[in-house]
């Protein structure tokens, strides 16, 4: 018998608890304060610039007639006309932590205090510090990319002559990124691991002529073999340097000038 009574009181307590939680939720869901940035800076609780305060939510059958915006409980502005928004500059108020709130009055005569929201009105120094905090890592990445770019150019230039001695069509080794055909000199060069991937292309520097270009990477051994074989065609298209007979050339020039003189 005693146990039953205890169970009943527990059930009652649970029901009461649910009711309390329910009403609390209904209350907080009634009106909310919106803080929208129009211009300026907002990082977490820190804000600086031009912002608009507005009240949202509330029962549809009880129209808002007046909104008093509050800063740390002190009146900031009174709005008695729809849309009851209030625009303000954070610089118009002291820097530091503030509680933004609103008091709503409705047609039925209800007065409701909206749950306040805490913000830190930032100074110009705080804003620039926050911006530097964001830009710092970007700057570091840019520097790293520049070092990689510069370093790879030096590396390529140091090995250029050595590379150029590699006969056309000769087999060569490639890294895990494979190789590519240079659009300038037509030779197949290995793509270094630090070359930049651009979706379907790779931005890399030719190790034969030093040309930077976005090239299509060749990854399969078959494609690379075919590209190496294709280099042989370059031998035919390149101008053949003939050994000129110096004496003959001089004579030709002399004859040319004489011809011109006679005319
Ligand atoms: Zn090249």
């Amino acid at each position: 018998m005693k146990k039953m009574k205890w169970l009943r009181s527990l059930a009652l307590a649970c029901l009461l608890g649910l009711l309390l939680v329910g009403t609390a939720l209904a209350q907080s869901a009634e009106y909310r304060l919106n803080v929208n940035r129009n211009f300026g800076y907002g990082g977490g609780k820190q804000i600086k610039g031009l912002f608009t305060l507005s009240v949202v939510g509330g029962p549809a059958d009880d129209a808002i007639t007046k909104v008093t915006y509050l800063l740390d409980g002190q009146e900031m502005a009174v709005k008695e006309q729809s849309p009851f928004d209030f625009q303000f500059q954070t610089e118009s108020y002291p820097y530091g932590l503030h509680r933004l709130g609103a008091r709503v009055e409705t047609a039925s005569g209800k007065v409701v205090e909206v749950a306040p929201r805490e913000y830190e009105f930032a100074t110009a120094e705080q804003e620039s510090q926050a911006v530097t905090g964001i830009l710092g890592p970007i700057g570091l990445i840019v520097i790293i990319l520049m070092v990689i770019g510069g370093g790879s150019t030096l590396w390529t230039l140091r090995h250029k002559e050595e590379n150029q001695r590699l006969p056309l069509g000769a087999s060569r080794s490639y890294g895990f990124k494979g190789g590519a055909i240079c659009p300038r000199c037509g030779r197949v060069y290995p793509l270094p691991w630090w070359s930049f991937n651009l979706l379907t292309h790779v931005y890399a520097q030719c190790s034969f002529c030093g040309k930077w270009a976005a090239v299509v990477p060749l990854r399969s051994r078959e494609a690379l073999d075919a590209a190496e074989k294709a280099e042989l065609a370059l031998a035919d298209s390149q101008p053949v340097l003939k050994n000129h007979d110096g004496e003959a050339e001089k004579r030709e020039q002399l004859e040319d000038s004489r011809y011109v003189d006679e005319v």
Side-chain angles (χ1 to χ4, degrees), residues 30 108 121 127 162 201 203 225 249:
E30 258 190 348
S108 73
F121 290 4
E127 181 192 23
E162 185 188 313
H201 287 58
Y203 193 64
D225 282 343
E249 204 178 337

Short mmCIF file of all heavy atoms in Angstrom, two decimals, residues 30 108 121 127 162 201 203 225 249:
data_model
loop_
_atom_site.label_atom_id
_atom_site.label_comp_id
_atom_site.label_asym_id
_atom_site.label_seq_id
_atom_site.Cartn_x
_atom_site.Cartn_y
_atom_site.Cartn_z
N GLU A 30 8.05 32.72 -26.99
CA GLU A 30 7.13 33.80 -27.30
C GLU A 30 7.77 34.91 -28.13
O GLU A 30 7.43 35.11 -29.27
CB GLU A 30 6.56 34.39 -26.01
CG GLU A 30 5.15 33.87 -25.76
CD GLU A 30 4.47 34.59 -24.63
OE1 GLU A 30 5.15 35.33 -23.89
OE2 GLU A 30 3.25 34.42 -24.49
N SER A 108 -3.28 43.51 -26.19
CA SER A 108 -4.12 43.05 -25.08
C SER A 108 -3.62 43.60 -23.74
O SER A 108 -4.18 43.26 -22.70
CB SER A 108 -4.14 41.52 -25.05
OG SER A 108 -2.90 41.04 -24.58
N PHE A 121 30.83 45.07 -27.24
CA PHE A 121 31.01 46.09 -28.27
C PHE A 121 32.51 46.29 -28.41
O PHE A 121 33.18 46.75 -27.49
CB PHE A 121 30.31 47.40 -27.86
CG PHE A 121 28.79 47.30 -27.88
CD1 PHE A 121 28.14 46.10 -28.16
CD2 PHE A 121 28.02 48.44 -27.65
CE1 PHE A 121 26.75 46.02 -28.19
CE2 PHE A 121 26.63 48.37 -27.68
CZ PHE A 121 26.00 47.16 -27.94
N GLU A 127 38.89 44.84 -33.27
CA GLU A 127 38.46 44.42 -34.60
C GLU A 127 39.67 44.10 -35.47
O GLU A 127 39.72 43.06 -36.10
CB GLU A 127 37.64 45.54 -35.26
CG GLU A 127 37.13 45.16 -36.63
CD GLU A 127 36.59 46.34 -37.39
OE1 GLU A 127 36.96 47.49 -37.08
OE2 GLU A 127 35.80 46.12 -38.30
N GLU A 162 71.43 19.60 -67.15
CA GLU A 162 71.59 18.16 -66.96
C GLU A 162 70.43 17.41 -67.64
O GLU A 162 70.63 16.42 -68.33
CB GLU A 162 71.60 17.91 -65.46
CG GLU A 162 71.86 16.49 -65.02
CD GLU A 162 71.65 16.38 -63.51
OE1 GLU A 162 72.16 17.27 -62.77
OE2 GLU A 162 70.94 15.46 -63.10
N HIS A 201 43.94 19.73 -64.18
CA HIS A 201 45.29 20.07 -64.59
C HIS A 201 46.22 20.18 -63.39
O HIS A 201 45.78 20.21 -62.25
CB HIS A 201 45.29 21.39 -65.37
CG HIS A 201 44.72 21.27 -66.75
ND1 HIS A 201 43.44 20.81 -66.97
CD2 HIS A 201 45.25 21.53 -67.97
CE1 HIS A 201 43.22 20.80 -68.29
NE2 HIS A 201 44.29 21.23 -68.91
N TYR A 203 49.57 22.59 -62.20
CA TYR A 203 50.41 23.74 -62.54
C TYR A 203 51.83 23.38 -62.15
O TYR A 203 52.14 23.20 -60.97
CB TYR A 203 49.92 24.98 -61.80
CG TYR A 203 50.52 26.25 -62.33
CD1 TYR A 203 50.25 26.67 -63.63
CD2 TYR A 203 51.36 27.02 -61.55
CE1 TYR A 203 50.81 27.83 -64.13
CE2 TYR A 203 51.92 28.19 -62.04
CZ TYR A 203 51.64 28.59 -63.33
OH TYR A 203 52.19 29.74 -63.82
N ASP A 225 55.04 6.26 -71.61
CA ASP A 225 55.87 5.63 -72.65
C ASP A 225 55.55 6.22 -74.01
O ASP A 225 56.46 6.57 -74.78
CB ASP A 225 55.61 4.11 -72.68
CG ASP A 225 56.34 3.39 -71.54
OD1 ASP A 225 57.27 3.99 -70.97
OD2 ASP A 225 55.96 2.24 -71.24
N GLU A 249 80.80 31.48 -96.69
CA GLU A 249 79.85 32.49 -96.28
C GLU A 249 80.38 33.90 -96.56
O GLU A 249 79.67 34.76 -97.05
CB GLU A 249 79.56 32.32 -94.78
CG GLU A 249 78.21 32.89 -94.37
CD GLU A 249 77.93 32.66 -92.88
OE1 GLU A 249 78.53 31.74 -92.30
OE2 GLU A 249 77.12 33.41 -92.33
#
